[in-house]
Amino acid sequence: MLIRKFLLAAAATAVFAGCAASGGSSSGAAVEPAVAAAAERLRVAMVDPTPAALRALVADDLSYGHSGGKVDTQASFIADLLDRKSDFVTIAITDQTIKVVDGNTAIVRHTLTADTNDSGKPGKVALKILGIWQKQGGEWKLLARQAVRLTT
């Protein structure tokens, strides 16, 4: 009986230690909806940008790679959207996949098609996007993004 109690106590300790080591992270399937919701909020904020919405969704250390080679920081990304240098009239996201690497990091891939009006010049864009999202202070934030043009 004493051995059984010892084994049960040891098993419980191992389970709790495992939870603590994982940082209390959730399974990938449980985290995916929160990441998808953050990605959707960013899509909306890029069409109708406000400083508060964008700062809430992009990390201080953002590295935002455009398909033409330009790389933005958080400050330049937000400024270009607010100044309409990068002006998304519409954005449609398709074929989105989310892979949760751990409870605090996720890889999001999707196809983005958009009508643009960058600096007053109408255009269209079709891109494949890779986004790295990180949980910071309890919120999902875009840490890195890279776009490549779709080939036709």
Side-chain angles (χ1 to χ4, degrees), residues 16-86:
F16 288 119
C19 290
S22 70
S25 64
S26 304
S27 72
V31 173
E32 285 177 19
V35 175
E40 173 60 12
R41 286 192 303 277
L42 181 60
R43 183 195 68 79
V44 170
M46 289 173 67
V47 173
D48 187 18
T50 66
L54 292 167
R55 279 193 200 95
L57 291 163
V58 298
D60 291 345
D61 294 325
L62 177 69
S63 178
Y64 189 99
H66 294 269
S67 61
K70 178 184 176 189
V71 178
D72 275 321
T73 63
Q74 181 201 54
S76 62
F77 169 68
I78 292 172
D80 283 355
L81 286 169
L82 295 175
D83 296 341
R84 301 294 188 199
K85 290 178 185 172
S86 182

